[in-house]
Amino acid sequence: MRRGLMAWSQQEIPAGVLEKRVAALVAGMRARGLACVLAYTDLTRPAAVSALTHFIPYWSNGVLVVSPSAGATLVVTLSGRVAEWIRSTSRLDDLVNTLDLGTGVAERISTTEKGAIRVGIVELSSFPSSVVAAIRKLHPAIEFEDATDLLNAALAQEGLRTDVVAARTIAIARVALAAGAAEAGGRDANAVVAAAEGTARREGAEEILLAVAPDAVADPRLRRIEGAALLGDAFALQVSVAYKGCWLRIGRTLSSGALPPWIAETDAWFERLVSEIATGAPPNVAIPTALTRLPGATLDSWRAETARAGLALAVVAGSAPFSSERPLPVAPITLTLRLRRGKGWWFSAAPFVFARARSPA
Amino acid sequence: MPGALARERLEKVRALCRNHGWDALLVYGNAWRCDYLRYVSNFPILEGHGFALIEAEGGLRLFLESPMEAERASIEAPGCEIVCQPGILAVLAAHLEHSRGRRLAAAPMRLMPYGVAGAAGDALEDAGDAFDRLLMQKSELEIDAVRRAARMADAGYEVFRRAARPGRTEYELVADVEAFFRSQGCPDNFMIIGSGGREVRGMHPPGERRLRAGDLVTTELTPCIDGYYAQICRTLVIGPPTVEQNAAFGLYVQSMEAGLAAVRPGATAAEIAWRENDVFRARGLGEYTTNKYTRVRGHGLGLYVDSRPALLEDVDTPLTEGMTIIVHPNTYHPDVGYIVLGDSAVVRSDGPEVLTATPRSLFSVPA
């Protein structure tokens, strides 16, 4: 629910990159014979529309209508009074403010296309059914199909990555984690998360989610902190940060006193593993191999996360359930590992960017 | 307290199902629209899709898209059976397919993903209005949570006032407030801001603008305690207020107090809005109560920041005892710019119990 700095810097994400992404999507829809492609957005599923226009709603929801004739039109349930703000944070060809999202989208389609048409929808299964129903009401002959692969292909074009944003997001996450860790001695979980939160937002984070395992020896599961919570000798802190639409996580096992040697040793081991994966080693091979270098360690779980069509952070590989849908090729990867070593649990999460766009799976 | 609240709400949902003859109720939620899901399961979802399927006479199952959320739910939503598998929408759709022949209702239908609602076809009855009545009508346990959130809002505005000074960016100001809420164990807040003069037409997420002497700085803070939100809206000036700013602000105080004075069981949302807007109309400023310049004149509060009923002149929802609302005549003033003022309140039999205690002043901070 919280929203921090929301602003568009064309130095970080040039309008030309966004225009080329939309043009690549239009080329794909032409080849497939689609009249238009729709992508849904709200603050929980902003990735597709953010990648095409830089727009992220701080509240409410919207649908991006991309068509060969009209380009990128945002239909949004935010008031017309914030139209200026929307335009200042987005590259759009047109903007429609409406009280009824379904009708607004349906009418937008009717103004550009007539008759029986095929419409692609990014993440069709996640798209609000009420919008589908409103479109069908106005266009009974319309046919829908999933267009997630078209978006992925459009974003995979060479030269359209924005690594500067990923690098800035990683930098913010690191200083936020360090600020939280610096408060560990007081054993107050709220002091730790407050330091991480304030630091991330002062650095320009658009959003931050914080999770803590207060006593990592007894229970490694991460949770929100609400009310008072005391930290044990060892605890885990995970910081999930968004900056200009780019999401990633960072996390570590920390100590309220001096860091035990086994945690420091495992941290160093993980740093090497991340480096190997970032330079091309497949994680499902690299992780078992690396474990042979860490005596007494038992792997509990691992996962790789990145943006998927609509979702800013989705598990795309790992030991936990993950989606078979392809990740967006423009986002950084977060590798998270949890293992048991001797008496305690150890957890870490590290973000990285591949040297060349590829999937971690 | 949260455990007692969760049990109380679950019993009300089961009673709702029985009263309507529904065998089960399917509820959708995400981090934006979290209230229906939280009401049923007490799970504060942060990432991905979440669904709760509650049997009228049986268990409660949570279907979650994110495996991390599933692990968190194992701690934060005790008593729920948790389902988390790849392709969770298809998993849920298949489950509903097997439930054909039973009466199944769902809320909120407008956000229900196509992969679920499309698979269920016409089998899903819309439980939205009935569920919304549950959300609007608060018990004393719920009101106590809103009351504690209101105290947090007052404390947060103190931090906001101290943090507002020339040269600071809007987002740095917000960072101080958000860090304060975290330090108090408050896990969520909705907050927007505006700064500047006559050119400012509303509030928005924080930007890179730096505060300057003479600015009006507006904010609404909406912290959350045990899932319940309370809101406060206030305006301050960087430096001493001008005569025009003070005169304009006086109008908003009159308007809010006129609205609050009308709060009682049986009054409609429209009546509250009329009372607020009449104060503007009496000064020839009625145009500034229209949707060209403002959104609503207040709204419900609870497990969602902006709940029903909206306080608008065309909303005939009657207020009932125990509702929690905010009355805020926030709008543009042609002489000075955008001004906000709002207090959270409970509808009581003898009038409003105002929950926020920050003075209704146009605050001034050193330039």
Side-chain angles (χ1 to χ4, degrees), chain A residues 137-162:
Chain A
K137 189 175 176 186
L138 201 61
H139 305 277
I142 211 160
E143 292 174 24
F144 297 112
E145 62 186 69
D146 193 279
T148 308
D149 59 331
L150 278 186
L151 175 70
N152 283 330
L155 298 181
Q157 305 284 311
E158 284 294 325
L160 298 188
R161 289 177 59 183
T162 49

Side-chain angles (χ1 to χ4, degrees), chain A residues 1-2 188-191 193-194 197 201 208 210 224-229, chain B residues 38 145 148-156 177-190 221-230:
Chain A
M1 197 74 81
R2 298 157 187 245
D188 175 2
N190 285 321
V193 295
E197 172 108 24
R201 291 192 184 275
I208 175 168
L210 294 153
R224 289 183 329 148
I225 297 297
E226 178 159 19
Chain B
R38 179 105 193 215
R148 286 180 285 131
R151 284 200 289 269
M152 187 67 72
D154 283 325
V177 176
E178 296 286 13
F180 167 75
F181 284 140
R182 284 284 189 188
S183 75
Q184 302 301 300
C186 171
D188 197 13
N189 172 47
F190 175 75
L221 306 184
T222 324
C224 176
I225 300 289
D226 289 341
Y228 289 85
Y229 294 88

